[in-house]
Amino acid sequence: MSEKRTDPRILRTRKFIMDSFIELSSKKEFKDITVKDITTEAMINRATFYYHFDDIYDLLEKVLSEELLINLDCSIYEKNKLDEVAFTEIFKATTNFQMSLSNRCHRGYEDTIARIIRDQLEVIFFKMLLNHHPSENDEALKLMATMMSWGIYGASVEWRRTNEKIPPEEFIKTVIPYLKNAIKS
Amino acid sequence: MSEKRTDPRILRTRKFIMDSFIELSSKKEFKDITVKDITTEAMINRATFYYHFDDIYDLLEKVLSEELLINLDCSIYEKNKLDEVAFTEIFKATTNFQMSLSNRCHRGYEDTIARIIRDQLEVIFFKMLLNHHPSENDEALKLMATMMSWGIYGASVEWRRTNEKIPPEEFIKTVIPYLKNAIKS
DNA sequence: ATAAATATGTTGGATATCCAACATATCCAA
DNA sequence: TTGGATATGTTGGATATCCAACATATTTAT
């Protein structure tokens, strides 16, 4: 439907910036990365950075969001059904994402990262709940989505605390019946 | 002296184009490479290609020239003296260049490549001869440079024909005394 | 031989990027 | 604390790149 071509310069530059940021993140902590570092690595002008992103936090947010979304199988969105498969996939995506993050060590910024992940999860859950209960009022669904995002994120933290001994799908399996009950009409 | 900053966009795009061309050259013959191929690989617009180069032959010429120059040790230019060291280095650069070329197989365009190499060598020799014999008339020096470029190039072809059994510096060693005699005042 | 398809160059207007300069903000050593 | 250095954002004008459209070649298939 809404077919809007985006200028290839924009895609290119955005990618350069994001890739440079990811590259730098593997070398030093987030707090030591400056906008100048990024633009130098990306071979672009500093002003151009601000053409694409508000600031370095905005960049971080977008990098993390996009990467989390990549982890999420698109098929979930297609059917838009909040069943056990969807729960499992979302949890797996979250743990996957956390594992890839820990390799790249954005040290000193964990809480912000956590917030971004939860925000993303909340958006996903809200969309799906909306699909499940079209007649329910938005406030209730919104709060439900919030709680589910915190819950899933908390579970992934707990999973990581156990040193990833159990596969994510096993780990989350036991509580899925409760989740399913929770969203029953 | 003449310090003129060149726009980083130009350096970047030129490099993308040249690198893409080199990359493509390793995959298919020169005659099968189109401008579209190059610009697609380089992620730039086709019109932008023509902003930097007249056509694909101009690109080839510039890629080869720059690469030949990279092979030539800058120290030769610094002293600008046409002694046995210079002859040896220039010959080594030529053979090096030919070897790297044969790996990338610009098949179907060998004669043009040969011409480009000779042109480059001629320029170098002319500069050096001019330095050696400032009073001599340019026509004579120009012709001398032409003959030396053909000679050196021919020697490198001959060297290649012997399957590179002898190191280039050994190969050229025996004729250097004659070359030195030839340019005596 | 003819037509259709693809490649080559060129152009004018739109837009992304560059640059230098500026005002603030933050950091860190004297 | 103070001052110098460095980082952050912002702006206006200059320039490189994009794009669509065009006219010609060149290639390919029938």
Side-chain angles (χ1 to χ4, degrees):
Chain A
M1 302 305 165
S2 63
E3 305 242 2
K4 48 172 177 178
R5 290 267 189 88
T6 53
D7 195 308
R9 285 174 288 185
I10 291 193
L11 299 174
R12 221 171 37 212
T13 303
R14 265 182 70 97
K15 185 166 188 336
F16 284 154
I17 293 175
M18 288 181 154
D19 287 350
S20 301
F21 175 65
I22 290 173
E23 171 67 16
L24 285 173
S25 292
S26 67
K27 289 188 193 145
K28 49 176 156 178
E29 306 186 23
F30 176 79
K31 71 177 177 52
D32 293 330
I33 298 175
T34 75
V35 174
K36 186 93 186 48
D37 292 337
I38 296 169
T39 57
T40 301
E41 170 95 13
M43 294 186 301
I44 56 138
N45 193 278
R46 201 165 56 84
T48 305
F49 174 91
Y50 293 103
Y51 182 87
H52 291 268
F53 303 96
D54 296 335
D55 51 34
I56 203 173
Y57 304 101
D58 184 39
L59 168 62
L60 174 67
E61 186 144 349
K62 280 165 178 160
V63 166
L64 296 186
S65 303
E66 291 196 8
E67 217 159 310
L68 181 57
L69 285 180
I70 288 170
N71 274 329
L72 278 167
D73 194 334
C74 297
S75 59
I76 294 180
Y77 287 104
E78 282 165 13
K79 54 180 190 171
N80 242 344
K81 211 157 173 300
L82 202 43
D83 51 13
E84 51 253 64
V85 177
F87 277 124
T88 309
E89 288 304 313
I90 290 174
F91 184 68
K92 274 168 64 181
T94 308
T95 55
N96 269 338
F97 183 66
Q98 286 221 18
M99 284 204 300
S100 65
L101 264 192
S102 64
N103 294 336
R104 287 206 229 92
C105 59
H106 289 264
R107 272 172 301 174
Y109 213 59
E110 291 86 355
D111 47 350
T112 303
I113 292 175
R115 181 183 54 74
I116 293 170
I117 296 177
R118 286 195 311 266
D119 284 351
Q120 290 297 314
L121 290 178
E122 185 175 318
V123 169
I124 293 168
F125 280 128
F126 181 64
K127 276 189 201 161
M128 289 184 156
L129 286 172
L130 209 53
N131 204 46
H132 256 247
H133 306 279
S135 54
E136 181 69 80
N137 82 71
D138 283 10
E139 292 304 317
L141 296 183
K142 194 88 184 168
L143 184 53
M144 192 64 201
T146 302
M147 293 180 65
M148 287 171 74
S149 69
W150 279 82
I152 287 288
Y153 181 77
S156 80
V157 170
E158 183 62 19
W159 173 78
R160 216 165 29 141
R161 211 182 56 75
T162 65
N163 298 320
E164 297 103 354
K165 278 179 218 144
I166 312 166
E169 50 269 36
E170 291 298 322
F171 190 84
I172 202 69
K173 198 177 188 178
T174 53
V175 297
I176 284 187
Y178 298 98
L179 291 172
K180 279 171 63 181
N181 273 337
I183 61 170
K184 269 207 191 110
S185 310
Chain B
M1 302 303 164
S2 63
E3 306 242 2
K4 49 172 176 179
R5 289 270 189 91
T6 53
D7 195 309
R9 284 173 288 184
I10 292 194
L11 299 173
R12 218 171 39 209
T13 303
R14 265 182 70 97
K15 185 166 189 333
F16 283 154
I17 293 175
M18 288 181 152
D19 287 351
S20 300
F21 175 65
I22 291 173
E23 172 66 17
L24 285 174
S25 293
S26 67
K27 289 188 193 146
K28 48 175 155 179
E29 305 187 24
F30 175 80
K31 70 174 177 53
D32 293 329
I33 298 174
T34 75
V35 174
K36 187 92 186 48
D37 292 338
I38 296 168
T39 57
T40 301
E41 171 94 14
M43 294 185 301
I44 56 138
N45 193 276
R46 201 164 57 86
T48 305
F49 175 92
Y50 293 103
Y51 182 88
H52 290 268
F53 303 97
D54 297 334
D55 50 34
I56 203 172
Y57 304 102
D58 183 41
L59 169 62
L60 174 67
E61 187 144 349
K62 280 166 178 160
V63 166
L64 295 186
S65 304
E66 291 196 8
E67 216 159 311
L68 181 57
L69 286 181
I70 288 170
N71 274 329
L72 277 166
D73 194 333
C74 295
S75 60
I76 295 180
Y77 287 104
E78 282 167 12
K79 55 181 189 171
N80 243 345
K81 212 159 172 302
L82 202 42
D83 51 13
E84 51 254 63
V85 177
F87 278 124
T88 309
E89 288 303 314
I90 290 173
F91 184 68
K92 274 168 63 184
T94 309
T95 54
N96 268 338
F97 183 65
Q98 287 221 19
M99 286 204 300
S100 66
L101 265 193
S102 63
N103 294 335
R104 287 205 229 93
C105 60
H106 290 264
R107 272 172 301 174
Y109 214 61
E110 292 86 354
D111 47 350
T112 301
I113 292 174
R115 180 183 56 71
I116 294 170
I117 295 177
R118 285 196 311 267
D119 285 350
Q120 290 297 313
L121 290 177
E122 185 175 318
V123 170
I124 293 168
F125 280 129
F126 181 65
K127 276 189 200 160
M128 287 184 158
L129 286 171
L130 209 53
N131 203 48
H132 256 247
H133 307 279
S135 54
E136 180 70 79
N137 83 70
D138 283 10
E139 292 304 317
L141 295 182
K142 195 87 184 170
L143 184 53
M144 191 65 201
T146 302
M147 294 181 64
M148 289 171 72
S149 69
W150 279 82
I152 287 287
Y153 181 76
S156 80
V157 171
E158 183 62 19
W159 173 78
R160 221 170 19 150
R161 212 181 53 75
T162 65
N163 298 321
E164 297 103 353
K165 278 181 220 141
I166 313 165
E169 49 270 35
E170 291 298 321
F171 190 84
I172 202 68
K173 199 178 189 178
T174 55
V175 298
I176 285 187
Y178 299 98
L179 290 172
K180 279 172 64 181
N181 273 337
I183 62 171
K184 269 210 190 106
S185 311

